[in-house]
Amino acid sequence: MTQPVRESTRVVVVGAGPAGLTVATLLQGAGVPCTVLEQRSRARVLQRQRAGIVETRAVRMFQEYGLADRVLGGAPSNGVLEIRTEGERRFLRSDAGVDGPAPSLCPQQVLVGNLIQEFTDRGGDLRFEASEVSLAGLAGPRPTVGYRDPSGTAYEISCEFVAGCDGDHGVSRASVPEGELTAYPFDHGIAWLTVLADVPPPQHPLLAVNSRGYAAHFARGPRTSRFYLQCPPGTRTEDWPDDRVWEQVRARLGDKELVAGPITEKEVFSLRSVVHEPMSYGRLYLVGDAAHVVSPMGGKGMNLALYDAEVFARAVRDFTARGDMSGLDAYSPTCLHRTWNYQEFSRWMTEMLHDAGDDSRTGPFRRRLARARLDRLFSSPPAAAAFAELMAGFG
Ligand SMILES: Cc1cc2nc3c(=O)[nH]c(=O)nc-3n(C[C@H](O)[C@H](O)[C@H](O)COP(=O)(O)OP(=O)(O)OC[C@H]3O[C@@H](n4cnc5c(N)ncnc54)[C@H](O)[C@@H]3O)c2cc1C
């Protein structure tokens, strides 16, 4: 059998999503050699449209590393969030009392594209279409990561650290021996139909509470919008022909005039969350969705991935400069602290905005509680400030 091509580097990053590319770009800036392995093609990676807002904390992070101008492609947000209850419009300043830059309306695929450009323009080693990625020796001092390139040639890269940035279904977490990690999964019991359409975005991010179910309308580009519609678990996309989508969007948003446009993507998914503890095993560090999934309510998944990435890259930089392991030892507890804080925020918002509308799941008492919670954001400046602090990624 042909021997694999053997190589060596300091860090192998598995996965080129927001987490992996941020790790790689920050390591590159610190002069730490790394290789990124991505199973998909460049074109596929650039197509993946998900998150739409980079929170204040992450904007500041990119500014501090001198990257903000190059990697954040979107316009700054004006901080206003619209919450429409049964058609009644109310506006919340999601930056009330926040001391920091405006969040950036930068779609995930734009951030990913810009990070790829930044990393590769500066000579970064990013290998697309890496198949059969496998991790070995994670508990020892020099793990190895194997893969095949598109021509079928096998490689084995020896390294000091592996950054597992390959999402919830990747190979990194699956390589940890059974019993070393504990999973804390949670099913919110809610599904969303998500629709991407060529429709002008709303003036402000729009969340709608409605007795027919929750709905939302967000910008995903100058002429593109993402809509979310709450639907019962088990619903299929076939149950939602385009006419039904637009009829429900208009009814739930309370906007009869909303102009429909071509739908380019339609998907139903269940709102679920999970945290895997600890976020490291030996010399493997799980970063982003590989370690935790946050339900999309509150827009925290990608932002949490960016946070983990910075904590990891900083720790590796300190180890490289001074042999200081303290940052790597603290990686998991540091990131888990923020993870649980964001999970709580996302769950709190999920309950409030769903229960306040359709009471068929939770009953009229919970509906009134949720409305009281929601109203407090508009009547109590400290409540609004606490909300804004979490939206910004502080606290
Ligand atoms: C519909 C939807 C809407 C969302 N909306 C928001 C939002 O508004 N705000 C927000 O902050 N977050 C949102 N999220 C969450 C956000 O998209 C994720 O949290 C984010 O993508 C996590 O980044 P990541 O780099 O950790 O993982 P991913 O983006 O999943 O990237 C992982 C990468 O690893 C690669 N990979 C996988 N397996 C392997 C392997 N074996 N070998 C090599 N490479 C591999 C994948 O191809 C991928 O490129 C949303 C998610 C969904 C599904």
Side-chain angles (χ1 to χ4, degrees), residues 194-358:
T194 168
V195 165
L196 202 62
D198 297 337
V199 168
Q203 197 182 357
H204 311 292
L206 165 55
L207 314 172
V209 169
N210 191 277
S211 53
R212 295 173 184 84
Y214 169 79
H217 182 187
F218 298 129
R220 286 296 183 267
R223 282 171 295 279
T224 313
S225 292
R226 186 177 282 286
F227 295 90
Y228 290 116
L229 289 169
Q230 179 188 354
C231 51
T235 309
R236 300 162 312 149
T237 44
E238 302 87 279
D239 302 330
W240 285 86
D242 293 4
D243 286 352
R244 183 174 178 211
V245 170
W246 296 119
E247 183 262 313
Q248 283 293 311
V249 164
R250 290 188 185 108
R252 296 185 194 192
L253 299 186
D255 182 357
K256 287 196 201 99
E257 310 303 323
L258 188 128
V259 180
I263 291 178
T264 53
E265 193 185 292
K266 207 189 272 179
E267 197 187 327
V268 173
F269 66 95
S270 298
L271 265 60
R272 65 181 189 92
S273 304
V274 65
V275 179
H276 299 270
E277 294 192 7
M279 286 172 56
S280 61
Y281 168 74
R283 296 230 159 196
L284 168 68
Y285 295 82
L286 300 173
V287 184
D289 276 18
H292 39 64
V293 175
V294 190
S295 86
M297 183 65 91
K300 288 302 179 192
M302 182 180 77
N303 288 298
L304 197 48
L306 299 178
Y307 177 78
D308 295 350
E310 190 201 5
V311 175
F312 174 73
R314 208 175 338 112
V316 173
R317 182 199 64 192
D318 291 350
F319 173 79
T320 306
R322 306 190 291 277
D324 175 4
M325 271 299 283
S326 61
L328 286 163
D329 291 342
Y331 172 76
S332 177
T334 303
C335 294
L336 283 171
H337 181 75
R338 178 166 293 261
T339 300
W340 283 111
N341 212 17
Y342 278 12
Q343 292 284 14
E344 192 284 328
F345 177 61
S346 175
R347 175 65 192 159
W348 171 85
M349 261 187 101
T350 302
E351 270 183 0
M352 179 175 70
L353 294 174
H354 288 82
D355 293 0
D358 170 20

Side-chain angles (χ1 to χ4, degrees), residues 116-183:
I116 290 174
Q117 195 73 43
E118 173 71 16
F119 184 64
T120 53
D121 278 358
R122 288 167 189 260
D125 182 4
L126 169 50
R127 306 179 190 184
F128 289 103
E129 298 179 67
S131 60
E132 299 175 34
V133 173
S134 61
L135 280 54
L138 295 171
R142 281 204 76 84
T144 53
V145 181
Y147 79 98
R148 266 182 209 284
D149 75 7
S151 72
T153 305
Y155 289 78
E156 192 178 278
I157 312 178
S158 136
C159 59
E160 279 181 83
F161 304 106
V162 181
C165 307
D166 46 352
D168 189 33
H169 305 291
V171 69
S172 298
R173 199 181 65 243
S175 306
V176 176
E178 187 111 11
E180 294 288 343
L181 305 181
T182 305

Side-chain angles (χ1 to χ4, degrees), residues 53-63 72 77 94-95 98-104 300 303 342 388-394:
I53 291 199
V54 178
E55 67 185 11
T56 294
R57 191 215 67 82
V59 172
R60 187 189 277 172
M61 171 190 91
F62 284 122
Q63 286 177 344
L72 298 176
S77 150
S94 63
D95 56 359
V98 169
D99 181 17
S104 172
K300 288 302 179 192
N303 288 298
Y342 278 12
E389 188 180 51
L390 280 153
M391 285 296 284
F394 297 146

